[in-house]
Amino acid sequence: MNLRNRRMETEWQLLGSLADANKTAFAQITRLPNEFRVVMCESPAWVGRRSERRIETRHELRYVYPRYYPFLPLEGYFVHPISHINVDPMTGFVCLWKDYRPSQTIVDAVLITRAIMAGDVANWDPAHRMQQDAVTEPLPMPSLGIPANCRPLLPQRSSRQRLLSPITNDTLESSFAFSDTE
């Protein structure tokens, strides 16, 4: 078994533990050969354009593992794109990482995704702006319980600290380089 497959197996176990600890937030997780599909509930995000905007709390995501993972980052996609400047309105691609490190896991990706969904973070760099008229009004995001075996690897975390969602903007900024202002 190569490194990619070993890591994907570990990632699947992490995702399973996270979903088991948060049964109301994860409606379904599915493993495919190169991706994990996640249906999140109780996770509000703005959807639609301009006059059609509304808040939806159920979202299906794809976390795709590229051929050279973990040396290349996993990619996140909303099956039905949300309204956020860092989400491509056509493909649903969500920009998760600024400075990706191979030690980051699916848990990190889920926490960052939920922070994006809540509108708590945004990367205002023009190269990362995929929607010009996206909603910037934040939404309350219920916290996730993070089991001890699922500790995310975001910076500023001691080896004994248990990180609870939502993660702080300071922590996200150092991993994702988001800022609250334009």
Side-chain angles (χ1 to χ4, degrees):
M1 185 181 289
N2 64 27
L3 175 62
R4 177 183 184 268
N5 292 341
R6 285 194 310 268
R7 272 295 297 272
M8 283 187 67
E9 182 61 35
T10 301
E11 297 275 308
W12 179 247
Q13 291 170 8
L14 290 172
L15 182 60
S17 294
L18 185 63
D20 286 345
N22 298 280
K23 292 185 186 298
T24 60
F26 291 85
Q28 181 180 358
I29 61 170
T30 306
R31 182 176 183 172
L32 299 172
N34 296 311
E35 68 183 65
F36 301 158
R37 292 211 173 209
V38 177
V39 178
M40 287 188 204
C41 295
E42 299 181 358
S43 302
W46 290 101
V47 298
R49 294 193 179 267
R50 298 192 187 267
S51 64
E52 302 170 5
R53 284 201 179 114
R54 65 196 177 284
I55 298 170
E56 289 186 4
T57 59
R58 183 181 175 95
H59 304 276
E60 184 176 351
L61 293 117
R62 297 173 49 232
Y63 290 103
V64 178
Y65 290 83
R67 180 177 179 187
Y68 294 107
Y69 180 80
F71 302 107
L72 292 176
L74 72 95
E75 300 171 355
Y77 295 86
F78 284 92
V79 173
H80 300 287
I82 66 169
S83 180
H84 189 280
I85 66 163
N86 302 124
V87 176
D88 186 290
M90 300 304 290
T91 66
F93 173 79
V94 57
C95 183
L96 294 173
W97 320 105
K98 178 190 178 223
D99 296 316
Y100 170 76
R101 292 180 318 278
S103 60
Q104 290 173 305
T105 69
I106 186 70
V107 175
D108 298 297
V110 167
L111 292 176
I112 292 169
T113 301
R114 287 174 52 90
I116 289 169
M117 292 167 69
D120 287 338
V121 295
N123 187 338
W124 296 98
D125 180 332
H128 296 276
R129 289 185 81 155
M130 294 177 257
Q131 293 184 38
Q132 299 305 315
D133 65 341
V135 177
T136 57
E137 182 181 335
L139 298 169
M141 181 65 72
S143 295
L144 290 180
I146 310 296
N149 67 326
C150 289
R151 292 190 185 126
L153 299 171
L154 291 170
Q156 302 175 3
R157 184 184 61 78
S158 75
S159 60
R160 295 179 188 233
Q161 181 181 4
R162 184 174 169 200
L163 180 64
L164 294 178
S165 164
I167 50 184
T168 66
N169 279 342
D170 291 341
T171 302
L172 276 170
E173 285 174 12
S174 56
S175 177
F176 187 62
F178 275 141
S179 64
D180 290 324
T181 59
E182 232 175 286

